[in-house]
Amino acid sequence: MSAKLSALFSDSYIDVSQYRDQHFKGNRVDQEKLLKQSCTLYVGNLSFYTTEEQVYELFSKSGDVKRIVIGLDKVKKTACGFCFVEYYTRVDAENAMRFINGTRLDDRIIRTDWDAGFKEGRQYGRGKSGGQVRDEYRQDYDPARGGYGKLTQLQRTSDGPRTF
Amino acid sequence: MSRRRHSDENDGAQPHKRRRTSEPMEIEDRLESLICRVGEKSTSSLESNLEGLAGVLEADLPNYKTKILRILCSVARMLPEKLTVYTTLVGLLNARNYNFGGEFVEAMIRQLKETLKSNLYTEALYLVRFLCDLVNCHVIAAPSMVAMFENFVSVTQEEDVPQVRCDWYVYTVLSSLPWVGKELYEKKDVEMDRLLGQIEVYLKGRQKTHVPMLQVWTAEKPHPQEEYLDCLWAQVQKLKKDRWQERHILRPYIAFDSVLCEALQHNLPPFTPPAHSHDAIYPMPRVVFRMFDYTDAPEGPVMPGSHSVERYVIEENLNCIIKSHWRERKTCAAQLLSYPGKSKIPLNYHIVEVIFGQLFQLPSPPHIDVMYTTLLIELCKLQPGSLPQVLAQATEMMYMRLDTMNTTCIDRFINWFSHHLSNFQFRWSWDDWADCLTVDLDKPKPKFVREVLEKSMRLSYHQRIVDIVPPSFSVLIPAEPIFQYKYGDESSSSLLAYPVTITVGNAIKNRASNEEILTVLRDVPNPNQEEDDDEGEGFNPLKIEVFLQTLLHLAAKSFSHSFSALAKFHEVLKTLSDSDEGKLDVLRVVYDVWRNHPQMISVLVDKMIRTQIVDCSAVANWIFSSNMAHDFTRFYVWEILHSTIRKMNKHVQKIQRELEEAKEKLEKQHHKKRDSGDEEDMEKLSGDEEGQLEEQIERLQEKVESAQSEQKNLFLVIFQRFIMLLTEHLVRCETSGMEFNTSWYKNCIERLQQIFLMHHVTIQQYMGTLENLLFTAELDHHILTVYQQFCALQL
């Protein structure tokens, strides 16, 4: 009887982003399907010091959390600024995308994105130095994420102390 | 202009296929877009946009009439905040094409019937209001509208129908009057007076037992929390006294009066409200939330009074905007802030009032709580120079009125405020609230601050909280969330079971199996044991304490560590907690070790229910046990209880769904059998399948019954315990001549109310049992009143 008026009632906060996990085992069609059904979110831009407890507290505001997996530096096995949050239902995960994504945790704006599902091994950073790739190349100083990016750190030590 | 859904890019459809189907789709999308976005982002006036659009649509009518009808009907239903824009459009179309106008009215009536049948009462109301405004646009003749109203009001004469049914019809009539009162009175004042007279009689005779349960504040000052129909009636009375002069609503059709009054009008077909049926779910009554008046906005435009019709229209429109756009916070905030007519009202105050009105709505907010937090943050971003101040003012006002605020609303206030602060570095003028330090710590104000600090700590860490409050507030700072190990230090070496804790600890560290642990635990001395009971099989609470204290101590590092530990030794825990007492002891130990970390208690209790180490009734009994009396008024305890009830409810629903699905499968099988040609073959094959399905259905049926029985038992336990506690308190106060309305009492009785409100849908199923067993006439009237108010919600 009535039109859905999709022109007006978009729900863009729950849309899938452009990012695709390059290490995903399976074809593109499978990946899309999993992303559309997923109850798991990737959470990025965390401080290295943000705890599982804090993540639980914040993400519980959109529903019961089934599991949290804190992302680890592959070498140091310490938190390296991301995690996965899995809900029991898709609806709860959608509400997290609508209302928790883009707000602050530990004073930092965090970013959430759909994830195809946690698999063993995905809790490790994929940067060369063991952390996340983004921390390899960034040039800014972020005290909550180990200071300078890894490449910049190496450059700074090889250049020696600066004198003006 | 048409919006491509981005998923199209990945769908792997054939290119030529896409091209073939997209042309009519593109045009339909274009029409939708044109209609939905009329007047947006245009340099010309709204009126000239409408004129242009009417021309375009008139030209498209021959080919796309059905589509246009559908879009306009949807817009009437789903964009109530833009009501008058679209009634004007329909008016213009009707003036150009009389038949189209007639078909539109017919389609609207069909839609009205459908929405009423489907329990979509809010949308039905928007449709009626749209039809009313069509009277202003000369599409519908006023007398036929009055006739429809007469039919609506005659519902109040029906016998044996729920009050909420009559309420809706009366509300719908009253709530349309701001838009069309003037026109209807001009044409049919005698009939309208009669109508209003009948409504007045109905309103005077209405039951209002439910009102106290729905009020956010119990105090009448400074703003009475009025019942929604009473408030609207007062507003309509005032409007009538002002001779129906209404100046707030945007009415584009006025500019087209010369065109529109030439148009021929249609008569509404006689409309009989559908009869009451048992599966009708009418909207629940509500209370109007007010927290501001004209004295609160210091400068700028004046806030319309509480009984002015402008106030009603503004609140309606803002509520409609939130209903339309709650999923997209940026759009929602932008739409709220671009409210037409905003220069004449203190818009920020209205927005903040409407948002808190929704957040504090009882029984529950229309949308998920966290949406409101994020929406307010978005609004602060868009109006950084003005909105944060209004929000701070609102927070201050709500703090001042905590003494009379409903406990459920205080819960939501705590959650909102702590989450909000965590987005703004916890900056707040805590010193302004130093008055809370001068009263007993269990009074509402210091209690509120303590709970806010506790929640804030969960979102950050202990030292942060110490840093953000002035030193004088240190008494309100939560304890450091550290594990309390009974067997941890030198002094504990004298404890009876100390040696076993060492053995158990080592066993766990050496990856012992569940059986090995159980073997070790046999050595735990049993304080209950009789001298000659060699078996040691009697229930031994010390076993639970020794094992669980040690295990949780080793796993104390994080939630994940603790969950892992519970999973690894699930067998041991199931064995130890096998009895009701065992389950209570498990919970007692968890509390003992983690009493300074309520968040950890919550997640452990949750995990233990889900892994069936404890059951829901055990948690309820534990919460009401004397051990927990000390924490009985703390927020976290009620979060645990409500979470437990929700888990129970979801469990029942899940099995019910499985049963439904199995039944559907069986039905499909039967149909297949009936429809197939080769009966003999089908019978052979499906005989087995059917048998299996039938068995499955039987099993599921049993499962459902057993789950429902568990659910009923859970509510019985909870209500029984409440009744016992409250009765004890009331009797004690009466005999000793003490005032019964202490902070503890207010908290307890409102927590009882909260159980009813938060789980009203489930509890409705068990009303019979509750009334017969628990809420009988012998009960103290203070307690019975809560039950009666609850029953009044759906009368």
Side-chain angles (χ1 to χ4, degrees):
Chain A
M1 173 91 256
S2 50
K4 276 219 300 246
L5 300 187
S6 52
L8 213 54
F9 296 119
S10 70
D11 196 358
S12 59
Y13 281 81
I14 65 170
D15 286 346
V16 184
S17 76
Q18 303 288 14
Y19 173 88
R20 292 294 176 274
D21 179 9
Q22 296 304 318
H23 294 210
F24 176 77
K25 303 259 184 340
N27 64 36
R28 189 46 72 90
V29 172
D30 290 339
Q31 199 176 25
E32 298 308 310
K33 189 159 163 242
L34 286 173
L35 288 173
K36 286 225 164 90
Q37 302 167 339
S38 174
C39 299
T40 306
L41 298 179
Y42 162 86
V43 183
N45 199 37
L46 296 178
S47 151
F48 284 11
Y49 307 104
T50 298
T51 60
E52 189 185 352
E53 285 80 344
Q54 287 169 286
V55 175
Y56 239 100
E57 179 68 14
L58 181 62
F59 282 84
S60 293
K61 291 181 185 296
S62 73
D64 290 339
V65 170
K66 184 172 180 184
R67 164 168 73 156
I68 293 177
V69 180
I70 299 285
L72 301 175
D73 181 300
K74 195 158 195 168
V75 174
K76 299 190 215 149
K77 301 294 197 289
T78 54
C80 69
F82 73 98
C83 72
F84 296 100
V85 175
E86 188 185 343
Y87 289 94
Y88 289 98
T89 69
R90 168 98 183 169
V91 169
D92 294 343
E94 286 177 352
N95 278 331
M97 289 288 286
R98 292 186 188 112
F99 307 120
I100 300 177
N101 186 13
T103 65
R104 290 187 191 266
L105 177 57
D106 241 352
D107 296 319
R108 301 171 67 88
I109 302 269
I110 57 167
R111 195 181 58 80
T112 65
D113 198 1
W114 291 108
D115 186 81
F118 175 73
K119 289 260 178 329
E120 181 55 38
R122 295 191 66 229
Q123 71 267 45
Y124 296 112
R126 293 173 181 165
K128 261 194 300 235
S129 322
Q132 290 197 280
V133 170
R134 59 203 298 255
D135 290 310
E136 291 289 315
Y137 303 110
R138 64 175 175 79
Q139 297 182 333
D140 61 322
Y141 182 77
D142 189 345
R145 287 183 74 102
Y148 287 105
K150 288 296 181 305
L151 215 58
T152 312
Q153 276 179 25
L154 289 171
Q155 283 173 351
R156 283 166 67 85
T157 48
S158 69
D159 284 347
R162 289 183 182 275
T163 51
F164 291 93
Chain B
M1 227 184 291
S2 73
R3 281 178 80 245
R4 274 261 161 275
R5 304 300 270 156
H6 69 263
S7 56
D8 289 347
E9 292 156 48
N10 293 330
D11 68 6
Q14 301 297 322
H16 78 258
K17 248 198 214 163
R18 249 198 272 161
R19 228 182 290 131
R20 238 193 277 140
T21 55
S22 73
E23 275 172 11
M25 277 307 291
E26 264 192 31
I27 295 183
E28 298 202 344
D29 280 351
R30 184 179 68 90
L31 280 175
E32 224 180 75
S33 186
L34 279 176
I35 294 173
C36 292
R37 296 192 193 285
V38 66
E40 278 181 32
K41 300 191 176 106
S42 167
T43 47
S44 356
S45 68
L46 174 63
E47 284 77 6
S48 81
N49 274 309
L50 281 172
E51 176 111 55
L53 182 56
V56 166
L57 292 179
E58 191 194 1
D60 278 332
L61 278 180
N63 294 323
Y64 295 102
K65 183 178 67 172
T66 316
K67 182 67 184 178
I68 292 173
L69 273 175
R70 274 174 55 198
I71 296 173
L72 288 174
C73 279
S74 294
V75 149
R77 209 169 120 171
M78 304 209 280
L79 281 179
E81 63 267 29
K82 296 226 158 89
L83 170 67
T84 51
V85 170
Y86 293 107
T87 52
T88 307
L89 181 63
V90 172
L92 292 172
L93 286 172
N94 180 56
R96 294 161 188 243
N97 188 323
Y98 178 76
N99 285 333
F100 177 78
E103 285 187 64
F104 178 74
V105 171
E106 273 170 28
M108 285 286 284
I109 293 292
R110 272 199 304 273
Q111 222 193 175
L112 178 59
K113 289 199 175 118
E114 259 177 50
T115 48
L116 287 173
K117 252 204 307 236
S118 323
N119 285 321
L120 295 169
Y121 286 94
T122 313
E123 294 186 18
L125 186 143
Y126 298 152
L127 290 173
V128 172
R129 211 183 266 163
F130 196 95
L131 289 170
C132 287
D133 207 44
L134 285 179
V135 172
N136 292 327
C137 300
H138 296 264
V139 178
I140 293 179
S144 67
M145 194 72 231
V146 174
M148 181 186 246
F149 276 1
E150 283 168 347
N151 282 347
F152 276 25
V153 174
S154 67
V155 170
T156 60
Q157 304 301 318
E158 288 175 4
E159 293 189 350
D160 287 328
V161 291
Q163 182 174 283
V164 284
R165 169 178 164 85
C166 309
D167 282 354
W168 185 80
Y169 285 97
V170 165
Y171 180 71
T172 304
V173 170
L174 290 177
S175 80
S176 305
L177 292 181
W179 280 265
V180 74
K182 182 153 183 282
E183 188 67 22
L184 293 184
Y185 250 82
E186 270 174 23
K187 298 273 156 54
K188 287 272 177 184
D189 62 337
V190 172
E191 285 80 356
M192 287 302 293
D193 266 335
R194 199 183 320 134
L195 219 56
L196 286 188
Q198 287 173 327
I199 291 179
E200 184 167 17
V201 168
Y202 172 70
L203 291 178
K204 285 218 170 84
R206 254 177 105 233
Q207 253 237 54
K208 289 200 278 203
T209 324
H210 54 272
V211 174
M213 203 176 211
L214 301 177
Q215 287 174 320
V216 174
W217 289 286
T218 53
E220 281 285 302
K221 291 196 181 349
H223 306 294
Q225 305 289 292
E226 277 184 285
E227 214 266 351
Y228 78 117
L229 272 178
D230 288 343
C231 186
L232 182 54
W233 176 249
Q235 286 163 328
V236 166
Q237 293 289 83
K238 186 161 185 301
L239 178 62
K240 180 171 174 203
K241 248 203 271 184
D242 293 340
R243 291 182 304 135
W244 305 100
Q245 298 300 324
E246 189 291 319
R247 280 176 242 285
H248 177 80
I249 296 174
L250 186 76
R251 300 178 194 258
Y253 40 81
I254 294 180
F256 294 105
D257 198 46
S258 50
V259 168
L260 292 178
C261 66
E262 296 291 308
L264 289 173
Q265 296 171 321
H266 304 266
N267 281 318
L268 277 175
F271 186 88
T272 321
H276 172 64
S277 75
H278 283 294
D279 44 357
I281 307 175
Y282 302 101
M284 263 206 254
R286 32 186 205 290
V287 151
V288 177
F289 178 82
R290 290 280 163 69
M291 66 181 297
F292 291 130
D293 62 31
Y294 71 95
T295 61
D296 295 305
E299 16 168 83
V302 173
M303 192 167 220
S306 59
H307 283 168
S308 71
V309 87
E310 281 77 26
R311 195 70 178 264
Y312 177 75
V313 171
I314 295 165
E315 285 167 359
E316 266 297 284
N317 285 336
L318 293 177
N319 277 315
C320 289
I321 292 175
I322 296 176
K323 185 173 192 283
S324 297
H325 300 288
W326 64 273
R327 291 179 191 82
E328 290 216 331
R329 64 213 210 206
K330 283 193 169 60
T331 309
C332 196
Q335 289 285 328
L336 286 170
L337 289 170
S338 57
Y339 180 71
K342 62 183 177 175
S343 55
K344 304 203 193 86
I345 56 175
L347 183 61
N348 284 342
Y349 285 85
H350 285 290
I351 291 175
V352 166
E353 187 177 74
V354 162
I355 288 177
F356 280 122
Q358 286 203 13
L359 178 62
F360 294 138
Q361 189 176 305
L362 295 167
S364 35
H367 304 289
I368 188 173
D369 294 35
V370 68
M371 183 278 280
Y372 301 102
T373 312
T374 313
L375 179 59
L376 283 168
I377 292 174
E378 211 56 46
L379 287 163
C380 285
K381 275 198 220 156
L382 289 176
Q383 295 264 287
S386 54
L387 208 118
Q389 290 86 318
V390 177
L391 205 48
Q393 194 181 347
T395 307
E396 179 67 34
M397 286 166 85
M398 295 189 295
Y399 169 81
M400 297 299 290
R401 299 174 201 171
L402 278 170
D403 287 333
T404 55
M405 194 185 219
N406 184 298
T407 302
T408 305
C409 300
I410 298 181
D411 287 349
R412 296 185 202 158
F413 185 14
I414 292 166
N415 278 333
W416 167 73
F417 189 49
S418 53
H419 187 190
H420 180 85
L421 284 181
S422 75
N423 274 272
F424 295 96
Q425 297 112 41
F426 295 105
R427 274 183 275 119
W428 184 250
S429 45
W430 298 99
D431 277 315
D432 289 353
W433 289 356
D435 65 327
C436 77
L437 299 170
T438 61
V439 295
D440 242 335
L441 288 188
D442 63 345
K443 287 278 183 286
K445 282 183 183 167
K447 196 163 179 309
F448 168 76
V449 175
R450 281 168 78 190
E451 298 284 4
V452 165
L453 294 180
E454 193 175 308
K455 282 282 170 154
S456 300
M457 182 176 74
R458 292 197 198 188
L459 288 167
S460 57
Y461 47 94
H462 189 260
Q463 187 57 43
R464 190 75 195 279
I465 305 305
V466 173
D467 292 340
I468 61 163
V469 295
S472 52
F473 275 65
S474 59
V475 62
L476 299 177
I477 295 176
E480 246 192 289
I482 299 177
F483 189 92
Q484 307 289 319
Y485 191 34
K486 184 172 177 178
Y487 299 96
D489 56 25
E490 293 295 303
S491 59
S492 53
S493 55
S494 57
L495 288 171
L496 188 60
Y498 179 77
V500 195
T501 66
I502 305 290
T503 319
V504 168
N506 288 331
I508 294 173
K509 283 185 234 176
N510 292 325
R511 301 164 193 273
S513 70
N514 281 269
E515 289 102 60
E516 288 164 344
I517 297 285
L518 284 168
T519 310
V520 169
L521 287 176
R522 288 216 209 105
D523 291 339
V524 174
N526 187 345
N528 293 343
Q529 197 178 355
E530 299 287 306
E531 278 298 330
D532 47 353
D533 180 4
D534 291 324
E535 294 297 294
E537 292 303 326
F539 169 63
N540 183 352
L542 205 48
K543 266 194 203 178
I544 292 176
E545 185 179 279
V546 161
F547 178 64
L548 200 47
Q549 283 243 4
T550 310
L551 180 68
L552 291 179
H553 179 231
L554 289 171
K557 185 157 184 238
S558 75
F559 289 179
S560 286
H561 286 84
S562 297
F563 294 161
S564 214
L566 290 180
K568 210 184 256 171
F569 295 103
H570 184 249
E571 248 185 75
V572 176
L573 290 165
K574 278 286 276 188
T575 310
L576 292 177
S577 69
D578 198 31
S579 60
D580 281 346
E581 304 146 311
K583 293 182 172 60
L584 279 177
D585 264 348
V586 165
L587 292 165
R588 188 185 50 77
V589 172
V590 169
Y591 173 77
D592 273 347
V593 297
W594 282 120
R595 59 189 178 271
N596 289 333
H597 196 346
Q599 192 196 16
M600 176 66 99
I601 299 179
S602 298
V603 302
L604 286 178
V605 170
D606 175 84
K607 217 25 132 212
M608 293 193 299
I609 292 176
R610 290 185 192 272
T611 54
Q612 299 173 321
I613 294 171
V614 300
D615 58 29
C616 295
S617 297
V619 174
N621 277 314
W622 164 64
I623 285 177
F624 283 94
S625 69
S626 47
N627 293 341
M628 291 297 283
H630 179 255
D631 277 5
F632 192 70
T633 58
R634 281 180 67 182
F635 190 6
Y636 84 89
V637 165
W638 299 97
E639 283 187 323
I640 292 178
L641 184 60
H642 287 289
S643 169
T644 302
I645 299 174
R646 274 197 310 267
K647 278 191 275 284
M648 181 81 249
N649 296 346
K650 286 198 184 141
H651 174 67
V652 171
Q653 282 164 4
K654 179 159 169 267
I655 310 179
Q656 279 172 333
R657 262 198 313 271
E658 284 173 24
L659 178 60
E660 286 309 303
E661 279 166 17
K663 282 188 178 161
E664 276 169 27
K665 252 168 101 176
L666 189 63
E667 272 243 10
K668 269 200 206 129
Q669 282 279 26
H670 284 161
H671 283 187
K672 256 196 345 211
K673 222 163 113 174
R674 242 182 293 145
D675 297 341
S676 89
D678 194 344
E679 294 220 351
E680 220 187 272
D681 254 352
M682 280 303 292
E683 275 206 39
K684 242 186 283 162
L685 286 170
S686 65
D688 255 347
E689 265 183 64
E690 241 187 75
Q692 276 180 1
L693 267 178
E694 280 169 1
E695 239 187 74
Q696 190 188 28
I697 289 179
E698 228 187 273
R699 263 184 290 123
L700 283 173
Q701 204 106 18
E702 278 174 25
K703 253 178 113 179
V704 164
E705 278 164 19
S706 130
Q708 281 177 327
S709 160
E710 209 192 316
Q711 184 182 54
K712 182 158 85 165
N713 189 49
L714 175 61
F715 281 111
L716 282 177
V717 166
I718 293 172
F719 285 129
Q720 239 161 16
R721 299 291 232 140
F722 264 117
I723 289 173
M724 275 162 52
L725 268 181
L726 286 165
T727 308
E728 240 179 65
H729 172 87
L730 287 165
V731 165
R732 207 179 328 124
C733 290
E734 222 189 285
T735 52
S736 61
M738 284 195 311
E739 165 63 47
F740 74 92
N741 197 5
T742 59
S743 308
W744 179 91
Y745 174 79
K746 179 177 186 286
N747 190 280
C748 192
I749 197 107
E750 287 181 358
R751 290 293 179 197
L752 171 60
Q753 257 178 13
Q754 191 183 36
I755 304 282
F756 279 114
L757 287 177
M758 281 178 66
H759 308 285
H760 62 94
V761 175
T762 318
I763 294 176
Q764 301 279 2
Q765 302 168 45
Y766 303 118
M767 296 291 271
T769 312
L770 291 177
E771 214 164 297
N772 290 331
L773 287 185
L774 297 176
F775 293 98
T776 59
E778 286 97 57
L779 217 52
D780 185 303
H781 73 95
H782 293 100
I783 309 172
L784 197 53
T785 306
V786 173
Y787 178 72
Q788 289 165 341
Q789 285 170 358
F790 169 70
C791 294
L793 283 180
Q794 276 286 302
L795 268 180

